[in-house]
Amino acid sequence: MFNDLFAEVSQGFGTKNYTSTVPSFGRGHEIVVPHGKLIYIPQFIDQKIADRTLDVFFENDQYAWNETNWHNVENINDLVWKNIAWHQDTIKMYGKEHTLPRVSAWYGDTGKSYKYSGILLHPKPWSPALLWMREQLQKVSEHHFNSVLLNWYRSGQDHLSWHTDAEKELGKNPTIASLNFGEARRFVLRRNDDHSDKIEISLGHGDLLIMQGELQHYWQHSVPKQAKISKGRLNMTFRQIHSPTEL
Ligand SMILES: O=C(O)CCC(=O)C(=O)O
Ligand SMILES: [Fe+2]
């Protein structure tokens, strides 16, 4: 028992072997990096609820979510989604339209619109399931989240390129809490000024990761392609959006 606890305390993360301690939640890892903090709690949501989350969040009138090759489904935006209004967005870059390599949905307090990858998003009102998820986060964070962006990576082909969540609507040092379900994917952080300084965390079914402090100013993050993965992953990132008057 003592050895287990000790192993947890001393586990190092990333190329620089950053040390971690056990967060006040009682298990998991609190990783202090230069200019930021990460809290990583594997299986924060227990497996039964995590399984159920996938069934509920992907319920629709036509396809079994886990038995479908979603890259072949062209009318994702027109399906009758029972609980989450999934939408595949297109962005314009250098005058050309690009379909985003993932599917997303945006929920939160109404009136908190948000610009993301050049798209202006208007959140849909909270559902009981999303509010329940948000409530769970209070066990680890006193932070108030008023919106959530849901990302659905249909397979290992879907990905998210290097970026920071530093939009001004998020305030100066945003706390961002990410809940993950389905297939585990690599979540990689790298320092803006030294790309060899990397931290990689596998975010699997029920896992929680919180990014806080100055992290968004000094570190980028990404979810790289993983060619061998054929199944889907659901990610929800809870954020606090400030109204223009609060900025
Ligand atoms: O899918 C993830 O783990 C990360 C999502 C993310 O970084 C974002 O939505 O900004
Ligand atoms: Fe992000």
Side-chain angles (χ1 to χ4, degrees), residues 36-247:
K37 191 158 91 173
L38 296 165
I39 295 172
Y40 165 46
I41 303 177
Q43 292 163 47
F44 175 72
I45 301 292
D46 80 38
Q47 197 189 327
K48 270 206 182 124
I49 297 174
D51 291 350
R52 177 92 186 113
T53 300
L54 291 171
D55 291 340
V56 170
F57 281 40
F58 290 110
E59 200 182 340
N60 68 81
D61 65 336
Q62 282 188 47
Y63 300 97
W65 98 274
N66 215 17
E67 287 156 25
T68 302
N69 181 346
W70 285 98
H71 294 284
N72 295 337
V73 177
E74 280 171 11
N75 61 337
I76 284 181
N77 294 350
D78 306 322
L79 294 182
V80 177
W81 293 101
K82 298 274 162 67
N83 298 299
I84 296 294
W86 289 110
H87 197 269
Q88 190 170 25
D89 292 307
T90 43
I91 55 164
K92 227 180 184 165
M93 251 189 339
Y94 307 110
K96 239 181 108 185
E97 296 258 320
H98 295 270
T99 307
L100 287 188
R102 62 191 171 274
V103 185
S104 51
W106 186 255
Y107 285 80
D109 295 0
T110 46
K112 305 277 180 189
S113 49
Y114 179 49
K115 213 166 180 182
Y116 184 82
S117 297
I119 309 161
L120 190 64
L121 295 160
H122 296 284
K124 298 222 155 31
W126 291 101
S127 69
L130 288 169
L131 285 171
W132 184 88
M133 293 291 166
R134 181 174 77 165
E135 212 177 292
Q136 303 315 301
L137 298 175
Q138 287 168 3
K139 295 178 185 170
V140 250
S141 176
E142 281 161 17
H143 201 79
H144 175 71
F145 300 101
N146 63 11
S147 61
V148 58
L149 171 66
L150 293 96
N151 291 306
W152 169 23
Y153 301 83
R154 294 162 295 177
S155 75
Q157 291 303 315
D158 277 352
H159 61 279
L160 181 56
S161 316
W162 289 112
H163 70 284
T164 57
D165 295 337
E167 288 81 3
K168 68 176 191 315
E169 296 92 328
L170 294 173
K172 191 158 189 285
N173 290 324
T175 295
I176 295 166
S178 139
L179 280 176
N180 300 279
F181 302 90
E183 206 66 20
R185 291 289 296 265
R186 297 170 58 206
F187 181 84
V188 192
L189 294 126
R190 74 178 184 194
R191 231 172 122 151
N192 294 351
D193 61 355
D194 176 6
H195 290 179
S196 71
D197 190 354
K198 277 201 174 76
I199 299 172
E200 176 168 333
I201 295 174
S202 166
L203 294 177
H205 201 39
D207 295 356
L208 168 68
L209 180 75
I210 302 178
M211 300 187 272
Q212 57 190 54
E214 297 178 288
L215 198 91
Q216 301 305 327
H217 302 289
Y218 293 90
W219 295 77
Q220 304 172 320
H221 55 276
S222 68
V223 179
K225 273 189 195 175
Q226 287 185 264
K228 290 192 186 120
I229 292 183
S230 60
K231 300 277 181 183
R233 165 187 185 244
L234 164 65
N235 161 266
M236 313 180 191
T237 53
F238 290 79
R239 301 143 188 263
Q240 184 175 20
I241 307 292
H242 299 267
S243 313
T245 49
E246 292 174 78
L247 291 170

